[in-house]
Amino acid sequence: MVPPASMFGNVPGYEDTLAGGGGGYLPPPMPLHPNRDPEPAPVQQDWNIPSITEDVARERFIMYASGYCCYNNAPAKDGVITNMQAFNTYRYRLETFTESRSTEWATKPYEGEPADFYTQTAPRPWEIPVTGPSLFQNHEENIKVPYTSSNKPCHTCSASGKMPCHECNGSGTKACWVCNGSGRRGGDSPCSQCNERGKENCSKCHGNGTKECETCKGKRQLLTYINLKVEWKNNVEDYVVEQNSGLEVNNLSDVTGKTLFKNAQYMLYPVYGFPDPSLSQASDRLVREHQAKYSQNSRILQQQQTIELIPITKVTYKWKGGIHVYYIYGNEHQVKVPDYPATCCCSIM
């Protein structure tokens, strides 16, 4: 049950704070650091990745096939590799680490805490000091805003600490499950389960007809206060240069590549002058979008951009007169087989 609005007071600076639904994300104050024109990112030149050997390609293919009970590993063991072609590609990743704050009126069972409402002026949401996590780590904290708490009678149970038991509708008893309330079983035999009463004590409330109020936990009083939710989030977005190998880009999300460039600062400058112009264009677009989007209702704490060269090898092989392909990609040498040529229909009983 949502508490009535009358339970909560009026706190300067928190006029839009709602019960249970929050007051929305609060615009941050001016940036902690003054804006300045950052320096263009340097570009590294060592962009080569050694090609994998046929032995590595075959070994990874055999391991892949052995991981499936329905795959015959003959194609992996006996297939003849006819071609290995590199389609190494670039991945640009932008991370924007933000802090956002929102408020809502909250309640908890009253346990004797001091009620400090209006004893001093409550600090504004962005004035409350909070220790954040390490950079680029998601985390959330809930903090009771000082000088906003007061104790009130529980609105759910009318300060009784108890509520009618829903299982027995407050009667404290239920029809006997053995005799279905008749008091007899098997004709004229008395029911020993309920001693011929036709009913037995409710197991949920132990025959009391009432249960402890779930809102106040039997305390009869509630502590009302403004809860400040602080959320740190690493907002990540990738751009992968098209490589035309036939391997879908979403396969690359779980692998790593060779890091060519990495840069972190408060507000980033896009990467310019990269050999592939589409990557520079993506960097310019994403940096602008992130800075515009995440500065509205959150505080940007740090940005980081990375360029990786992800190895992709397309392996063509021949088996039983047919031509087939598979891919090996990432530093982890992951394997993707679009159409394995020797499978069986098996089922788990």
Side-chain angles (χ1 to χ4, degrees), residues 178-192:
V178 176
C179 66
N180 294 320
S182 67
R184 316 292 293 179
R185 57 183 299 185
D188 294 331
S189 301
C191 178
S192 58

Side-chain angles (χ1 to χ4, degrees), residues 108-238:
K108 64 179 291 291
Y110 180 62
E111 297 177 339
E113 301 96 331
D116 58 8
F117 187 76
Y118 266 147
T119 57
Q120 292 189 42
T121 301
R124 302 298 173 96
W126 286 96
E127 295 174 348
I128 298 173
V130 183
T131 301
S134 301
L135 289 175
F136 306 108
Q137 299 295 315
N138 293 337
H139 187 62
E140 184 177 305
E141 290 278 353
N142 287 280
I143 300 167
K144 185 169 64 176
V145 176
Y147 313 119
T148 64
S149 60
S150 59
N151 61 304
K152 299 290 180 66
C154 178
H155 60 284
T156 302
C157 64
S158 300
S160 68
K162 299 178 180 180
M163 292 292 291
C165 175
H166 294 298
E167 190 73 18
C168 64
N169 295 320
S171 67
T173 60
K174 294 178 63 178
C176 174
W177 65 274
V178 176
C179 66
N180 294 320
S182 67
R184 316 292 293 179
R185 57 183 299 185
D188 294 331
S189 301
C191 178
S192 58
Q193 175 69 22
C194 63
N195 293 325
E196 301 184 74
R197 294 193 310 154
K199 55 186 178 181
E200 54 186 343
N201 286 345
C202 174
S203 60
K204 295 294 183 181
C205 65
H206 307 291
N208 295 319
T210 59
K211 294 180 65 177
E212 180 182 88
C213 174
E214 294 183 359
T215 302
C216 68
K217 304 301 181 186
K219 303 293 185 181
R220 303 185 180 186
Q221 299 282 314
L222 294 174
L223 184 75
T224 67
Y225 60 94
I226 293 178
N227 180 69
L228 173 67
K229 183 175 80 169
V230 186
E231 183 178 5
W232 293 270
K233 186 175 181 181
N234 190 29
N235 304 278
V236 183
E237 202 160 350
D238 291 344

Side-chain angles (χ1 to χ4, degrees), residues 58-329:
R58 186 180 303 281
E59 176 187 351
R60 298 301 299 182
F61 195 23
I62 292 173
M63 290 177 61
Y64 169 85
S66 300
Y68 292 87
C69 64
C70 298
Y71 282 17
N72 184 328
N73 62 9
K77 288 185 175 181
D78 303 330
V80 178
I81 295 176
T82 59
N83 187 39
M84 293 177 58
Q85 188 175 3
F87 286 90
N88 301 337
T89 191
Y90 300 109
R91 176 171 63 199
Y92 173 82
R93 172 168 291 172
L94 176 63
E95 301 171 76
T96 299
F97 186 57
T98 60
E99 176 187 348
S100 61
R101 299 192 177 195
S102 61
T103 59
E104 66 177 1
W105 278 103
T107 63
K108 64 179 291 291
Y110 180 62
E111 297 177 339
E113 301 96 331
D116 58 8
F117 187 76
Y118 266 147
T119 57
Q120 292 189 42
T121 301
R124 302 298 173 96
W126 286 96
E127 295 174 348
I128 298 173
V130 183
T131 301
S134 301
L135 289 175
F136 306 108
Q137 299 295 315
N138 293 337
H139 187 62
E140 184 177 305
E141 290 278 353
N142 287 280
I143 300 167
K144 185 169 64 176
V145 176
Y147 313 119
T148 64
S149 60
S150 59
N151 61 304
K152 299 290 180 66
C154 178
H155 60 284
T156 302
C157 64
S158 300
S160 68
K162 299 178 180 180
M163 292 292 291
C165 175
H166 294 298
E167 190 73 18
C168 64
N169 295 320
S171 67
T173 60
K174 294 178 63 178
C176 174
W177 65 274
V178 176
C179 66
N180 294 320
S182 67
R184 316 292 293 179
R185 57 183 299 185
D188 294 331
S189 301
C191 178
S192 58
Q193 175 69 22
C194 63
N195 293 325
E196 301 184 74
R197 294 193 310 154
K199 55 186 178 181
E200 54 186 343
N201 286 345
C202 174
S203 60
K204 295 294 183 181
C205 65
H206 307 291
N208 295 319
T210 59
K211 294 180 65 177
E212 180 182 88
C213 174
E214 294 183 359
T215 302
C216 68
K217 304 301 181 186
K219 303 293 185 181
R220 303 185 180 186
Q221 299 282 314
L222 294 174
L223 184 75
T224 67
Y225 60 94
I226 293 178
N227 180 69
L228 173 67
K229 183 175 80 169
V230 186
E231 183 178 5
W232 293 270
K233 186 175 181 181
N234 190 29
N235 304 278
V236 183
E237 202 160 350
D238 291 344
Y239 170 78
V240 178
V241 176
E242 181 61 45
Q243 26 81 21
N244 297 317
S245 68
L247 180 68
E248 295 183 358
V249 169
N250 58 6
N251 288 294
L252 304 179
S253 61
D254 295 328
V255 299
T256 60
K258 178 181 180 180
T259 301
L260 305 180
F261 170 73
K262 193 169 188 177
N263 181 31
Q265 53 184 298
Y266 163 56
M267 296 286 266
L268 286 171
Y269 194 73
V271 174
Y272 289 145
F274 196 77
D276 191 309
S278 69
L279 189 143
S280 295
Q281 293 168 6
S283 173
D284 182 75
R285 173 178 59 83
L286 291 176
V287 167
R288 293 178 187 275
E289 288 179 356
H290 274 221
Q291 292 178 359
K293 178 180 179 181
Y294 296 116
S295 62
Q296 296 300 312
N297 293 315
S298 59
R299 173 187 281 168
I300 295 177
L301 301 179
Q302 191 88 344
Q303 288 188 298
Q304 180 170 271
Q305 57 187 351
T306 309
I307 299 175
E308 294 173 278
L309 181 57
I310 302 178
I312 302 174
T313 302
K314 181 179 181 180
V315 183
T316 304
Y317 69 101
K318 182 184 293 185
W319 183 72
K320 286 191 174 181
I323 302 298
H324 310 278
V325 299
Y326 62 93
Y327 300 90
I328 298 180
Y329 55 97

